[in-house]
């Protein structure tokens, strides 16, 4: 555990949210209430009382709970900063809308991070890549024999999405098409000048892959 945060920070924590995170982590580790209470050096009845009362009632007790669950104070009070999206509850009156092709291209923008799906054995594999949009195609750079390098002319999928956990809404765009290697040095040089095309993963990634869409669809999740 980290050093105990300021009492005002602990006092502002929602007991119900903290209790939910404790229970989720306990279940993730396959622990029972009795096991957690034992490792936190407290009686199971007192553990249940603490989860109802919140961290402000007994910060030291919650420090022991966090230690037993291998959670920091920030994870206890605020949740993981790097948790996958979709942790919050659905919004009121959720509404799923289908997007037009122009709306899909507008959401994808000129560049960003997307996921390319490749037809490999024993099953499809999906990898995150930096991408750029140019001339109605998706391009990205990878290692010549890397995991994200499809065979020239192979069918692929490409997905870009955005999730707003706080508002419980978001969108997703799916591109289906063929992947082709860019073999023209002049074209590869032009692509390297596009914004956002430097791979975050670093390393030598000289192969440019261009995805020519056959179909592009998208959905937006909002509220009525």
């Amino acid at each position: 555990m980290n050093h105990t945060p300021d009492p005002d920070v602990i006092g502002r924590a929602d007991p119900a949210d903290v209790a939910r995170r404790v229970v989720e982590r306990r279940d993730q580790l396959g622990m029972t209430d009795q096991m957690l209470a034992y490792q936190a050096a407290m009686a199971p009845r007192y553990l249940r009382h603490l989860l109802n009362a919140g961290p402000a009632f007994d910060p030291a007790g919650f420090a022991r709970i966090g230690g037993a669950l291998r959670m920091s104070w920030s994870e206890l009070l605020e949740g993981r900063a790097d948790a996958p999206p979709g942790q919050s509850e659905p919004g009121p009156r959720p509404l799923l809308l289908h997007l037009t092709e122009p709306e899909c291209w507008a959401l994808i923008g000129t560049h960003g991070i997307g996921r390319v799906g490749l037809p490999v054995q024993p099953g499809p594999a999906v990898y995150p890549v930096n991408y750029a949009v140019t001339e109605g195609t998706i391009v990205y750079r990878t290692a010549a024999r890397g995991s994200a390098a499809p065979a020239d002319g192979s069918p692929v999928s490409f997905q870009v999405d955005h999730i707003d956990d706080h508002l419980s809404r978001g969108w997703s765009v799916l591109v289906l098409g063929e992947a082709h290697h860019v073999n023209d040095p002049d074209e590869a040089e032009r692509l390297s000048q596009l914004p956002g095309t430097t791979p975050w993963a670093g390393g030598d990634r000289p192969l440019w892959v261009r995805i020519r869409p056959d179909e592009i669809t998208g959905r937006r999740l909002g509220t009525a």
Side-chain angles (χ1 to χ4, degrees):
M1 292 289 289
N2 299 333
H3 293 298
T4 303
D6 186 277
D8 290 340
V9 175
I10 294 178
R12 290 195 296 269
D14 186 327
D17 286 343
V18 174
R20 174 179 54 80
R21 284 190 279 272
V22 168
V23 171
E24 288 176 350
R25 179 61 171 164
R26 180 206 65 193
D27 291 345
Q28 183 185 48
L29 295 176
M31 301 172 69
T32 64
D33 274 349
Q34 289 74 16
M35 293 168 62
L36 176 56
Y38 176 79
Q39 294 195 27
M42 62 182 64
R45 182 175 180 181
Y46 187 66
L47 170 65
R48 291 190 291 271
H49 175 70
L50 280 187
L51 294 184
N52 288 325
F57 180 80
D58 182 0
F62 268 89
R64 299 198 302 274
I65 293 172
L69 296 173
R70 301 191 291 279
M71 297 177 71
S72 67
W73 269 113
S74 62
E75 290 171 334
L76 271 174
L77 300 182
E78 303 170 2
R80 282 180 46 194
D82 62 344
Q87 301 286 312
S88 60
E89 295 297 319
R93 301 186 303 279
L95 184 65
L96 184 64
L97 302 174
H98 291 275
L99 302 173
T100 65
E101 185 170 325
E103 288 173 328
C104 290
W105 283 114
L107 287 171
I108 289 177
T110 60
H111 63 282
I113 298 288
R115 295 185 298 278
V116 60
L118 308 180
V120 298
Q121 295 298 328
V126 179
Y127 302 98
V129 293
N130 298 78
Y131 73 88
V133 175
T134 178
E135 301 175 342
T137 66
I138 305 289
V139 295
Y140 68 91
R141 204 169 84 192
T142 188
R145 293 181 175 81
S147 300
D152 192 51
S154 63
V156 297
S157 66
F158 192 83
Q159 187 170 16
V160 184
D161 49 41
H162 173 75
I163 301 297
D164 188 325
D165 256 339
H166 180 67
L167 297 177
S168 298
R169 65 187 186 189
W171 56 264
S172 177
V173 171
L174 176 65
V175 176
L176 301 177
E178 281 192 356
H180 297 274
H181 298 177
V182 176
N183 297 315
D184 182 353
D186 292 337
E187 177 64 2
E189 176 61 24
R190 184 188 74 83
L191 296 179
S192 68
Q193 303 305 313
L194 296 175
T197 56
T198 301
W200 284 11
D204 184 25
R205 300 176 187 274
L207 174 64
W208 281 97
V209 177
R210 185 189 303 273
I211 300 174
R212 298 190 180 279
D214 293 325
E215 181 182 357
I216 178 168
T217 57
R219 299 183 298 174
R220 183 191 294 277
L221 178 63
T223 55

